[in-house]
Amino acid sequence: MLDITWLGHGTFLLKLDSGAHVLIDPWLTGNPASPKDFRLPKIDLMLITHGHFDHIGDAIALAKLNSCKIVSNFEICTWLASKGLENTSGMNKGGMQDTGVLRVTMTQALHTSSIQDGDHVIYGGEPCGYILHLDDGRNAYFAGDTAVFSDMALYADLYRPLLAFLPIGDFYTMGPEQATLAARLLQVKTVVPMHFGTFPILTGTVAKLSELLEDTGVEVKALEPGQSLQW
Ligand code: NI
Ligand code: MN
């Protein structure tokens, strides 16, 4: 059983069968969609998809607080190490890593990945997503910020993910139409929508996604910020 809690925007907290907690793309401070009065548990592993502020905003503070391992691309991990974080494990696309908490495979994402560091914009490597390999044998796909791309079909062939976390907000990522095609390419049974509603510019809605996926057999599991789903 995977316990999935949406912390608004692209931020998720996962609780694994082992009891370990995984935090993905930590952005709580300044996140308008962040649930009020939410107390984070001890974090064992942090996964980061790219360098934009709305995905790494709280990474340094929370990694220091929890002394947890951080997985991201090589460039972001190098930057985090330069900020004093010692437990980083930078990888790259196509690779699988057994973090000791969760096995993850780094996937493609069609997006950008700069890091805003004070007055400077730093090269943040390439954006990515992750296949999450659960101990019960099931796989889930965390897309990160991305447009749809046809190679998502390769992830269906390779990993047979049953669930996909997909952005639907449009403008900076795919919207509901592309997410519908993504669900088809991935052959998933369940979609957890993310990266919508945070700002007025993110106009993609769950209602639109549900309408487009009606009669396809794909279930949309939309969460409210702070709400959990057992999967
Ligand atoms: Ni982004
Ligand atoms: Mn984003």
Side-chain angles (χ1 to χ4, degrees), residues 196-215:
F196 66 94
T198 323
F199 316 109
I201 206 168
L202 303 184
T203 55
T205 62
V206 171
K208 184 66 180 175
L209 180 71
S210 299
E211 177 195 322
L212 291 168
L213 283 173
E214 212 183 340
D215 303 325

Side-chain angles (χ1 to χ4, degrees), residues 27 39 45 58 69 108 115 125 149 161 193 202 229-230:
W27 184 43
R39 276 181 62 95
L45 172 68
D58 288 280
K69 177 176 266 190
Q108 174 70 305
I115 304 166
F149 52 92
L202 303 184
L229 156 72
Q230 276 72 46

Side-chain angles (χ1 to χ4, degrees), residues 22 33 37 40-41 50 68 70-71 79 87 99 103 113 148 157-158 189:
V22 181
D37 304 322
L40 276 176
H50 64 295
C68 58
I70 308 181
V71 170
W79 178 76
N87 200 1
T99 65
R103 287 177 305 128
S113 178
V148 70
D157 278 355
L158 282 163
K189 301 260 186 291

Side-chain angles (χ1 to χ4, degrees), residues 21-83:
H21 288 99
V22 181
L23 185 62
I24 309 181
D25 282 355
W27 184 43
L28 304 166
T29 309
N31 177 352
S34 196
K36 301 238 180 326
D37 304 322
F38 188 85
R39 276 181 62 95
L40 276 176
K42 165 124 180 48
I43 304 301
D44 301 287
L45 172 68
M46 195 181 285
L47 300 177
I48 294 174
T49 62
H50 64 295
H52 292 156
F53 74 92
D54 57 323
H55 298 261
I56 65 164
D58 288 280
I60 293 171
L62 288 175
K64 283 186 175 163
L65 188 68
N66 290 281
S67 305
C68 58
K69 177 176 266 190
I70 308 181
V71 170
S72 189
N73 70 26
F74 183 79
E75 289 78 7
I76 288 171
C77 281
T78 303
W79 178 76
L80 290 171
S82 79
K83 299 295 178 188

Side-chain angles (χ1 to χ4, degrees), residues 87-201:
N87 200 1
T88 64
S89 187
M91 61 189 297
N92 221 317
K93 293 171 190 178
M96 195 273 272
Q97 171 169 191
D98 187 346
T99 65
V101 174
L102 175 68
R103 287 177 305 128
V104 297
T105 297
M106 186 171 275
T107 58
Q108 174 70 305
L110 282 187
H111 195 66
T112 57
S113 178
S114 55
I115 304 166
Q116 184 81 41
D117 187 345
D119 291 343
H120 300 280
V121 176
I122 295 173
Y123 175 64
E126 289 203 0
C128 72
Y130 294 97
I131 299 288
L132 314 174
H133 305 279
L134 304 186
D135 282 347
D136 62 15
R138 293 178 303 162
N139 292 330
Y141 170 60
F142 192 90
D145 283 10
T146 186
V148 70
F149 52 92
S150 57
D151 285 358
M152 285 179 175
L154 297 180
Y155 300 139
D157 278 355
L158 282 163
Y159 306 115
R160 302 268 163 222
L162 295 173
L163 177 147
F165 300 82
L166 298 177
I168 65 160
D170 214 325
F171 200 85
Y172 296 116
T173 69
M174 57 182 161
E177 289 83 2
Q178 289 187 31
T180 300
L181 177 56
R184 200 164 82 212
L185 291 167
L186 291 160
Q187 299 176 41
V188 290
K189 301 260 186 291
T190 304
V191 171
V192 176
M194 61 181 181
H195 215 276
F196 66 94
T198 323
F199 316 109
I201 206 168

